[in-house]
Amino acid sequence: MNLNFEGHTVIVTGAAHGFGRAIAQAFAWDGAHVWACDTNAEGLGETARLAHHDGLSIQTRTVDVSDRAAVSAFVDEVVAETGRLDVLVNNAGGVLGQVGRPLEEISGGDWQAIFRVNVDGAFYFAQAAAPTMKRQGRGRIVNISSGAGLGVSLTGIQAYASAKAAQIGLTRQLAHELGQFGITVNNVAPGFVRSNPTTERQWESYGEAGQQKLLDGIAMKRLGSPQDIANAVMFFASDQAGWVTGQVLSVDGGK
């Protein structure tokens, strides 16, 4: 499948490492002008350094996706600079350093924090991107959820599983609302991938026996990579997926 995003403008959130960095790089390698954001300034700086080294068009900005005003300002800057917005990838999310605890120990603040970054951020970005995409008569929105949103979280974090399920619901609803304007909205649900410091700590916490148990539960008997997730995103963003919307693609090696 030949993918060409030459001259397209792409926003990727959560691009300081892992999935987000791989997605940003993949679009840039295929000719897109990528605008990448994150709150992790150090990691985002490394994304920018790697892009410069490889001659890729990736602009970086520090943006808190849970800050509606900051999101709107960032999208406005991108559109003012490029005159268009073709693809939005809502990758920012995660567990924010939280670990699995009994239900009765979860504070309201901890619960809301995970929803703000995983659900509110996707909503704010889609809301900010929609006017430009409607004006163009075309757009692609791809949300990155998790296998936790389709089942249960390996971490046992209640808010994470709930937020990712909510994000999938948002995907389906926006697909029906925006389809008439030529905008597709889809979702990639990754399985466990060692892609960032959090997942590395999670992997180590399982120990040898737990790691083997996780692998045994995967049809392909191996973990995937950030590039596997980027490949799925690229498909949803491509012309080949022009009549695909409201869908959730599990990229997990088979469960």
Side-chain angles (χ1 to χ4, degrees):
M1 183 168 60
N2 182 30
L3 301 179
N4 182 9
F5 295 95
E6 191 72 36
H8 286 202
T9 296
V10 178
I11 289 177
V12 181
T13 72
H17 50 53
F19 299 159
R21 180 182 290 167
I23 293 165
Q25 290 172 329
F27 275 110
W29 278 116
D30 280 327
H33 301 299
V34 179
W35 292 69
C37 70
D38 206 300
T39 55
N40 179 347
E42 182 178 356
L44 200 59
E46 178 64 8
T47 298
R49 188 193 68 78
L50 292 169
H52 178 74
H53 178 269
D54 294 331
L56 301 178
S57 177
I58 301 179
Q59 298 280 338
T60 59
R61 297 291 187 273
T62 302
V63 179
D64 179 355
V65 302
S66 69
D67 183 335
R68 189 176 189 175
V71 168
S72 181
F74 175 55
V75 173
D76 285 349
E77 179 189 4
V78 172
V79 174
E81 182 71 22
T82 68
R84 59 191 294 171
L85 178 52
D86 300 282
V87 182
L88 164 65
V89 183
N90 284 311
N91 169 72
V95 299
L96 305 181
Q98 295 187 36
V99 297
R101 290 169 291 159
L103 176 64
E104 59 270 25
E105 295 181 12
I106 309 303
S107 71
D110 287 345
W111 174 268
Q112 291 297 333
I114 286 180
F115 266 79
R116 281 197 299 271
V117 70
N118 289 280
V119 185
D120 295 1
F123 174 77
Y124 293 154
F125 263 96
Q127 188 177 52
T132 298
M133 291 183 173
K134 285 181 178 181
R135 187 168 62 250
Q136 295 169 167
R138 185 188 186 281
R140 301 282 189 265
I141 298 174
V142 185
N143 298 322
I144 309 299
S145 61
S146 168
L150 294 168
V152 297
S153 172
L154 292 175
T155 64
I157 298 174
Q158 305 87 345
Y160 184 70
S162 301
K164 289 305 189 183
Q167 193 200 70
I168 290 170
L170 177 65
T171 298
R172 291 172 173 149
Q173 192 64 39
L174 292 183
H176 278 266
E177 178 180 344
L178 299 176
Q180 63 185 305
F181 302 102
I183 303 167
T184 66
V185 188
N186 289 292
N187 198 292
V188 176
F192 182 77
V193 177
R194 296 168 63 185
S195 61
N196 57 52
T198 298
T199 52
E200 283 298 321
R201 288 192 295 271
Q202 186 178 345
W203 174 253
E204 292 300 325
S205 74
Y206 293 151
E208 187 175 344
Q211 291 168 3
Q212 189 59 52
K213 181 179 179 181
L214 190 153
L215 293 172
D216 288 342
I218 299 173
M220 299 197 68
K221 307 304 179 190
R222 65 174 179 83
L223 300 181
S225 71
Q227 189 60 49
D228 290 315
I229 310 308
N231 291 341
V233 172
M234 300 287 279
F235 166 68
F236 277 142
S238 72
D239 289 340
Q240 284 87 342
W243 206 49
V244 180
T245 195
Q247 301 305 303
V248 181
L249 177 59
S250 294
V251 183
D252 57 11
K255 291 295 184 69

